[in-house]
Amino acid sequence: MAASDEALWQRTVKIASVVGLYWFVSISMVFLNKHLLSNVSLDAPMFVTWFQCVVAVVACYILGSMRDTHPSLKMFPAFDIRPDVARQVLPLSLVFVGMIAFNNLTLKFVGVAFYNVGRSLTTIFNVALSYFMLQQTTSLRAIAMCGVIVAGFFLGVDSEKSEADLSFTGIMCGIMASACVALNSIFIKKVLPLVDNDMWKLTAYNNFNAMFLFMPVMLFMGELPLIADSSDIYSSSYWMLMTLAGLFGIAIGLVSMLQITVTSPLTHNISGTSKACAQTILALQLRDEARSAMWWLGNLFVLGGSLGYAVVKRAEMKKDIDAKPPSTPDAKA
């Protein structure tokens, strides 16, 4: 085998391995969370979400303390929570709490097969909030893709209601999750400079704040007595699954960054869209369920519109970059 062919083969294997790892972590995380939220006797979704934040903080501390042991761990900053920075990050953390809480509530009240459609309006909220909060306009081609997503959402909701047990609570949680995800991405741009533009520092601060923010939420939703009376908290297998779900929450950030690094942001979006399709098919197969052509058409609109939006935005960004005049060195006297 020629050197160039061998290099190409190695790169192909590397890309396939990273994409496969991303699919495994992402799909496993969704199904594991669904199990913890719907298939255990302890009905405390905010407690599940709170514990995942605790695991994330502990993981950030351990990874930060190990950063000098191996070059690949240098990306993790030393764990250092400053109260003044934590207060400045607090507005983002409030949105972050809403995002992960409504994400898990959506997963609790809808099936895995419908989960992606239920949370599909993120792009729509992103466009709207970018306009109202950042005064950023969107091209007609991108708006057209948003229209495809909206059509897919309503078609999917209508089909799911007639073919499965779809709750209004699940739909509303999905809409709120979409809004919080979009709002979270906008707040991150404003807050990131406070933590030296380091996403892992921001992850530590967000989850640290969330540990305390979720406590009154658990109290308000009446979960504390349920936790105290539950037999699940004495089960080692329950805590193993809870810890594993928290680790998957950290791992998805790592593998997403890794996938973007070895491929590209557009390929990452394509992989995510394909993964969502595979996840939907797997969920239906595991439950031995079937759906109508209209249901699948709704999913196709959502996935196709999301992918189309990513392609359009990438083309527009490339056009803007190409339109900028090349920088020239200052002329010497």
Side-chain angles (χ1 to χ4, degrees):
M1 183 182 293
S4 59
D5 292 337
E6 185 176 353
L8 178 61
W9 170 252
Q10 290 176 349
R11 175 165 172 75
T12 302
V13 171
K14 181 179 181 181
I15 291 174
S17 301
V18 170
V19 171
L21 180 62
Y22 169 78
W23 280 40
F24 170 76
V25 171
S26 182
I27 293 176
S28 298
M29 181 179 68
V30 170
F31 278 96
L32 181 54
N33 278 333
K34 179 63 176 177
H35 173 76
L36 290 169
L37 293 165
S38 302
N39 299 330
V40 298
S41 59
L42 177 54
D43 185 15
M46 294 301 100
F47 172 66
V48 173
T49 314
W50 170 80
F51 187 77
Q52 291 174 353
C53 294
V54 174
V55 172
V57 171
V58 173
C60 287
Y61 174 80
I62 293 174
L63 291 170
S65 64
M66 297 171 61
R67 66 188 310 269
D68 294 326
T69 62
H70 194 275
S72 63
L73 297 175
K74 286 290 185 181
M75 61 184 291
F76 300 107
F79 188 82
D80 180 27
I81 300 295
R82 292 169 46 193
D84 58 324
V85 177
R87 284 194 298 270
Q88 290 176 294
V89 175
L90 188 59
L92 170 63
S93 298
L94 289 168
V95 176
F96 173 75
V97 165
M99 179 182 73
I100 58 177
F102 282 117
N103 266 336
N104 276 354
L105 287 172
T106 303
L107 192 55
K108 175 179 173 61
F109 290 113
V110 305
V112 174
F114 187 73
Y115 181 57
N116 287 297
V117 173
R119 294 168 54 254
S120 62
L121 297 183
T122 298
T123 302
I124 314 304
F125 281 109
N126 197 26
V127 169
L129 291 172
S130 294
Y131 177 77
F132 288 110
M133 297 180 67
L134 304 176
Q135 288 73 52
Q136 293 180 353
T137 57
T138 305
S139 69
L140 288 177
R141 287 198 304 164
I143 291 176
M145 292 297 102
C146 292
V148 174
I149 296 172
V150 172
F153 174 79
F154 283 108
L155 186 59
V157 168
D158 186 63
S159 301
E160 184 77 1
K161 281 195 301 183
S162 61
E163 299 178 40
D165 185 18
L166 179 63
S167 69
F168 177 77
T169 302
I171 297 173
M172 292 308 300
C173 286
I175 293 173
M176 291 302 297
S178 299
C180 287
V181 170
L183 199 58
N184 185 70
S185 65
I186 291 175
F187 269 79
I188 283 177
K189 294 177 183 178
K190 296 182 177 182
V191 173
L192 205 51
L194 299 174
V195 291
D196 306 318
N197 293 308
D198 190 322
M199 281 300 300
W200 284 108
K201 278 187 179 181
L202 188 58
T203 297
Y205 275 104
N206 254 341
N207 283 278
F208 179 81
N209 284 342
M211 286 194 311
F212 300 99
L213 293 173
F214 267 115
M215 289 180 179
V217 177
M218 288 189 290
L219 183 63
F220 174 77
M221 296 188 68
E223 291 188 357
L224 297 184
L226 296 176
I227 297 167
D229 294 338
S230 175
S231 59
D232 286 323
I233 62 172
Y234 301 105
S235 168
S236 59
S237 61
Y238 175 76
W239 288 112
M240 285 176 60
L241 291 176
M242 287 277 281
T243 303
L244 185 59
L247 293 175
F248 273 133
I250 284 290
I252 192 63
L254 277 170
V255 295
S256 295
M257 290 172 57
L258 184 60
Q259 182 169 244
I260 292 172
T261 301
V262 301
T263 59
S264 68
L266 178 59
T267 303
H268 175 66
N269 283 321
I270 294 172
S271 175
T273 302
S274 303
K275 187 275 305 182
C277 183
Q279 180 177 287
T280 299
I281 295 172
L282 180 60
L284 292 175
Q285 289 294 319
L286 289 175
R287 294 179 62 87
D288 196 23
E289 296 179 350
R291 292 291 189 271
S292 67
M294 294 302 289
W295 188 91
W296 283 108
L297 184 62
N299 275 265
L300 182 62
F301 276 19
V302 166
L303 296 174
S306 300
L307 180 58
Y309 180 85
V311 172
V312 168
K313 294 300 289 184
R314 181 182 182 277
E316 291 174 353
M317 289 174 61
K318 187 176 185 301
K319 184 179 179 181
D320 290 341
I321 292 172
D322 292 342
K324 291 180 180 179
S327 57
T328 57
D330 295 336
K332 293 183 179 180

